[in-house]
Amino acid sequence: MPDAVCAVVLAGGSGTRLWPTSTDARPKPFLALSGGKSLLVETFDRAARLAGARNVFVSGRRSHADLIRHELPGLPESRMILEPARRNTAPAVALAALVVSEEGDGVMAVLPSDQAVRDEAAFDAALRTAAEAARTHAAFVTLGIPPTRPETGYGYMEISEENHERLSSNGKEVAARVVRFVEKPPREAAERYAKDGRHLWNAGIFVFRVSLLFEEMKRTCPDVLDAARRAHAARQAGDLSSFAEIFSSSPSVSIDVAVMEKASSVLTVPCACGWSDLGSWDAVLDFRAKSPGANVIEGRAEVRDGRDNLVLAGDRPVRVIGLSGIAVVDAPEGLLVMRRGASDELRKSVEESLAVRP
Amino acid sequence: MPDAVCAVVLAGGSGTRLWPTSTDARPKPFLALSGGKSLLVETFDRAARLAGARNVFVSGRRSHADLIRHELPGLPESRMILEPARRNTAPAVALAALVVSEEGDGVMAVLPSDQAVRDEAAFDAALRTAAEAARTHAAFVTLGIPPTRPETGYGYMEISEENHERLSSNGKEVAARVVRFVEKPPREAAERYAKDGRHLWNAGIFVFRVSLLFEEMKRTCPDVLDAARRAHAARQAGDLSSFAEIFSSSPSVSIDVAVMEKASSVLTVPCACGWSDLGSWDAVLDFRAKSPGANVIEGRAEVRDGRDNLVLAGDRPVRVIGLSGIAVVDAPEGLLVMRRGASDELRKSVEESLAVRP
């Protein structure tokens, strides 16, 4: 391998639809929502299997530094990139790429840590394929998740069927060219996408050569790159107050909007790995249920005469009696009792209460 | 009024169907289940309106003495009758009657404090009528609640329609003669009782001349009376360890079984006062709902897109979303989420967990 492979784990992410467990003080990546380790640790492990643990960087909010250290006690301080403010993913990825490039050009993978994967081996294989493609092609290479339902809340990537690029020598693994990004399609379109074989979910996972990112950002979002360069210089000089000031002045924009949608060449590696964004309690139950209709129970909880429930108990025993298809989440911040499928109502409720908070 | 009227409030009562709020350490009478004061205080107030506060005695468990003092800070110690063990209501009533009779013969009312009443004025009037009947007739005079549904879990009193006794001078208030007690009838019978106008619920509220109680107990349950007399003598002598020993050796039996069902003469005063035993969360919701289908909410709780729910919040905010007809009860002891009508399943669940406790 002529070029080093690095991975950057994005430790951001939140979720009003995961009230009361996910909070600003302890958001999604720091929770064991998939039923195993925290999502951050699971994502770090994925990154480490690709790049080696010492080549994994973690990008997160400064206010979460202690949470990150607690979850990843072996992570060197030099591998932590702490942001003084939330400016969405484009400034975070640019800054991380600049830190990575201190050690020379190379291939960099970006992995958001607000996700879970059932088939880790399938994920690993797809990510290796993507890294190989990014090494040999001047392209951003994403992972594309084949849709399993007509989801209207996700971003889709449309691929050109005529233009597959055969990448591996055994002919088994291919990447497709992305011809269009579609964000949160209407219901009808989503139903078509779920069946036409030409649309994949954008999981926000992508690999690229660092030098390519800088070239493309110079063209598509020079203000973001410029702010990142100046912030990075202040950081290198140890001037943390300038760093904070400059970084905070960067435009707040996602890497998808700032770069990917305008990039000259985007490929995607289809990856049917049982991926979930665990974006709602419905998604958490779907991901964790051992069989359709089974209850998912955590802690001292009893479900009697009920199925298809998610029950996450807190310190106290919980009894759920005569009810099916509900989520019960008991956390220090509050208690949620919700019908399956009502996640949007939960989001509205949480947003309204945040809006009226003084 | 030639004879004094006293009232004895029974501060016992528990309820596995009210988990997690009602516990052995803090059972039903000490909870504000009706939405106002504690049931004990509400019952005390009813008793005081009949007999005057200084003529109200409270009979309860010794382990609840501090709870009683806390709820009724003005109650003289001489008016507290503390039992060293649970022996059901017959020994408690016998002992209370002996304490009351220290001040001479008179009329005594017994009021369990695990109940609630919507129309206090109607209740007061019926209880006064019952006290008047007990003064002028050699009979136990109960309050009879006209059934509002075919309840199979209650005791019923069958009245003789031909044998009403006109008791008041204005002809408005009457008592009926009880010809039979029926405990927990089968469904079919309960449905008949709910409609035939000849059956009333036995709320465990009754009034009698103290001397009549002793006469009847001598005949129907001499062992209970004897134990009560000896326990009372030890109590008067200040020998609390003998008192405890004797009282605990008394048969454990209800006053209904030991006396009322065998008594020579039982009358009942019908009392349509919106009575409830608050025996389950379903009953609590029915009692407290302002209108059919309305939510009953206590504490920091939001119900969104739902009706006919009972939500009793604890220390933390509660969100109930997209669900109707459920009870959510958040208490230090535990958390309950239950479909309306599943109270029997809750009882079984609690009983099973008590059975396996070492």
Side-chain angles (χ1 to χ4, degrees):
Chain A
M1 297 213 299
D3 304 310
V5 177
C6 290
V8 174
V9 170
L10 302 180
S14 62
T16 48
R17 293 189 303 171
L18 292 171
W19 186 91
T21 305
S22 172
T23 62
D24 214 46
R26 190 182 192 86
K28 229 170 126 181
F30 304 100
L31 305 171
L33 288 172
S34 70
K37 303 175 202 162
S38 71
L39 300 185
L40 176 61
V41 169
E42 291 187 345
T43 307
F44 183 92
D45 290 348
R46 262 166 235 140
R49 288 196 298 271
L50 173 74
R54 56 181 297 279
N55 294 317
V56 179
F57 293 74
V58 175
S59 166
R61 284 166 64 188
R62 194 163 64 194
S63 57
H64 295 148
D66 286 341
L67 284 177
I68 296 170
R69 291 188 187 104
H70 181 263
E71 290 297 313
L72 299 167
L75 186 73
E77 289 289 315
S78 65
R79 293 307 193 231
M80 277 175 68
I81 305 170
L82 298 176
E83 297 160 22
R86 298 178 75 163
R87 309 307 292 156
N88 211 327
T89 47
V93 169
L95 178 64
L98 288 161
V99 172
V100 163
S101 70
E102 290 170 22
E103 302 175 16
D105 191 20
V107 167
M108 170 172 148
V110 173
L111 285 79
S113 60
D114 57 354
Q115 312 179 344
V117 156
R118 266 221 198 83
D119 184 346
E120 297 279 358
F123 182 93
D124 289 353
L127 190 61
R128 274 195 307 272
T129 303
E132 177 65 21
R135 190 196 316 281
T136 51
H137 290 66
F140 293 94
V141 187
T142 66
L143 295 197
I145 314 295
T148 53
R149 61 178 188 277
E151 174 65 53
T152 56
Y154 292 171
Y156 288 73
M157 298 177 290
E158 183 181 330
I159 56 176
S160 148
E161 272 185 306
E162 283 94 56
N163 204 8
H164 277 197
E165 322 236 339
R166 194 160 299 266
L167 291 163
S168 76
S169 54
N170 62 14
K172 253 180 66 189
E173 290 160 337
V174 295
R177 186 157 300 280
V178 173
V179 295
R180 198 164 61 108
F181 285 83
V182 184
E183 188 65 19
K184 296 185 182 171
R187 185 84 202 167
E188 262 179 41
E191 280 173 2
R192 204 167 59 243
Y193 296 172
K195 287 181 286 190
D196 69 5
R198 288 187 48 217
H199 289 83
L200 298 165
W201 287 340
N202 178 6
I205 301 161
F206 52 103
V207 197
F208 50 87
R209 190 173 284 280
V210 173
S211 52
L212 175 70
L213 177 76
F214 297 145
E215 275 164 39
E216 291 280 38
M217 288 187 98
K218 220 177 288 175
R219 184 172 63 81
T220 63
C221 56
D223 47 349
V224 175
L225 181 60
D226 180 57
R229 282 203 197 282
R230 288 185 294 121
H232 178 242
R235 187 175 179 271
Q236 278 195 304
D239 182 354
L240 289 185
S241 85
S242 292
F243 167 65
E245 199 183 317
I246 298 163
F247 187 90
S248 305
S249 74
S250 173
S252 178
V253 59
S254 76
I255 190 77
D256 289 314
V257 168
V259 181
M260 305 295 276
E261 294 179 4
K262 298 162 185 151
S264 313
S265 177
V266 180
L267 303 176
T268 188
V269 175
C271 174
C273 60
W275 174 90
S276 171
D277 74 338
L278 303 181
S280 67
W281 295 117
D282 291 326
V284 171
L285 177 52
D286 286 337
F287 186 82
R288 291 173 62 170
K290 292 259 188 305
S291 58
N295 294 306
V296 173
I297 297 176
E298 199 175 278
R300 285 191 295 160
E302 178 193 354
V303 174
R304 198 178 178 102
D305 186 21
R307 62 201 294 276
D308 200 22
N309 298 301
L310 174 73
V311 185
L312 306 182
D315 299 333
R316 296 148 326 135
V318 176
R319 284 190 160 97
V320 176
I321 302 194
L323 289 161
S324 292
I326 71 169
V328 177
V329 183
D330 184 13
E333 182 90 352
L335 165 64
L336 173 70
V337 182
M338 186 179 75
R339 178 179 54 77
R340 292 206 62 181
S343 294
D344 277 344
E345 288 301 308
L346 172 60
R347 180 181 50 75
K348 283 180 208 162
S349 167
V350 174
E351 284 173 0
E352 281 168 21
S353 71
L354 293 174
V356 299
R357 195 175 284 179
Chain B
M1 298 214 298
D3 304 309
V5 178
C6 289
V8 174
V9 170
L10 303 180
S14 61
T16 48
R17 293 188 305 171
L18 292 172
W19 186 91
T21 304
S22 173
T23 61
D24 214 47
R26 191 182 193 86
K28 228 170 127 182
F30 304 100
L31 304 171
L33 287 172
S34 71
K37 303 174 202 163
S38 71
L39 300 185
L40 176 60
V41 170
E42 290 187 346
T43 307
F44 183 93
D45 289 349
R46 262 166 235 139
R49 289 196 297 270
L50 174 74
R54 57 180 296 279
N55 295 316
V56 179
F57 294 74
V58 175
S59 166
R61 285 166 65 188
R62 196 163 61 192
S63 57
H64 296 148
D66 286 342
L67 284 178
I68 296 171
R69 291 187 188 105
H70 181 264
E71 290 297 312
L72 299 167
L75 186 73
E77 288 290 316
S78 65
R79 292 309 193 231
M80 278 176 67
I81 306 169
L82 298 176
E83 296 160 23
R86 298 177 75 164
R87 308 308 293 156
N88 211 327
T89 47
V93 170
L95 178 64
L98 288 162
V99 172
V100 163
S101 71
E102 291 171 22
E103 301 175 16
D105 190 21
V107 168
M108 170 173 150
V110 173
L111 286 80
S113 61
D114 57 355
Q115 312 179 343
V117 155
R118 266 221 198 83
D119 184 345
E120 296 281 359
F123 182 93
D124 289 353
L127 190 61
R128 274 195 308 273
T129 302
E132 177 65 21
R135 190 196 318 280
T136 52
H137 291 65
F140 293 95
V141 187
T142 66
L143 295 198
I145 314 294
T148 53
R149 61 178 188 276
E151 175 65 52
T152 55
Y154 292 171
Y156 288 74
M157 298 177 289
E158 183 181 331
I159 57 177
S160 149
E161 275 186 304
E162 284 95 54
N163 205 6
H164 277 194
E165 320 239 337
R166 195 159 297 268
L167 291 164
S168 76
S169 54
N170 63 15
K172 255 180 64 189
E173 291 159 336
V174 295
R177 186 157 301 278
V178 174
V179 295
R180 198 164 64 107
F181 285 82
V182 184
E183 188 64 17
K184 297 186 182 172
R187 185 86 202 164
E188 262 179 42
E191 280 173 3
R192 203 166 61 243
Y193 297 171
K195 288 181 286 190
D196 69 5
R198 289 186 48 215
H199 289 84
L200 298 164
W201 287 340
N202 178 6
I205 301 161
F206 53 101
V207 196
F208 51 86
R209 191 172 285 279
V210 172
S211 52
L212 175 70
L213 178 76
F214 297 145
E215 276 165 39
E216 291 280 38
M217 288 187 96
K218 221 177 288 177
R219 185 172 62 82
T220 62
C221 56
D223 47 351
V224 175
L225 181 60
D226 179 58
R229 280 200 198 283
R230 288 185 294 120
H232 178 242
R235 188 175 179 272
Q236 277 195 306
D239 182 355
L240 290 186
S241 84
S242 292
F243 166 64
E245 197 183 319
I246 299 163
F247 187 89
S248 305
S249 74
S250 173
S252 178
V253 58
S254 75
I255 190 77
D256 290 314
V257 169
V259 181
M260 305 295 277
E261 294 179 2
K262 299 162 185 151
S264 313
S265 176
V266 180
L267 303 176
T268 187
V269 176
C271 175
C273 60
W275 174 91
S276 171
D277 74 338
L278 303 181
S280 66
W281 294 117
D282 291 329
V284 171
L285 176 53
D286 285 338
F287 186 80
R288 291 172 63 170
K290 292 260 188 305
S291 58
N295 294 304
V296 173
I297 297 176
E298 200 174 278
R300 284 190 296 160
E302 177 193 355
V303 174
R304 198 179 179 102
D305 186 21
R307 61 201 294 277
D308 200 22
N309 298 301
L310 174 72
V311 184
L312 306 182
D315 298 334
R316 296 148 326 134
V318 177
R319 283 191 162 96
V320 176
I321 302 193
L323 289 161
S324 292
I326 71 169
V328 177
V329 183
D330 185 12
E333 182 90 351
L335 166 64
L336 174 69
V337 182
M338 185 179 75
R339 177 178 55 77
R340 291 205 62 182
S343 294
D344 277 346
E345 289 301 309
L346 171 61
R347 179 181 51 74
K348 283 180 209 160
S349 166
V350 174
E351 283 172 2
E352 280 168 22
S353 71
L354 292 174
V356 299
R357 193 176 284 180

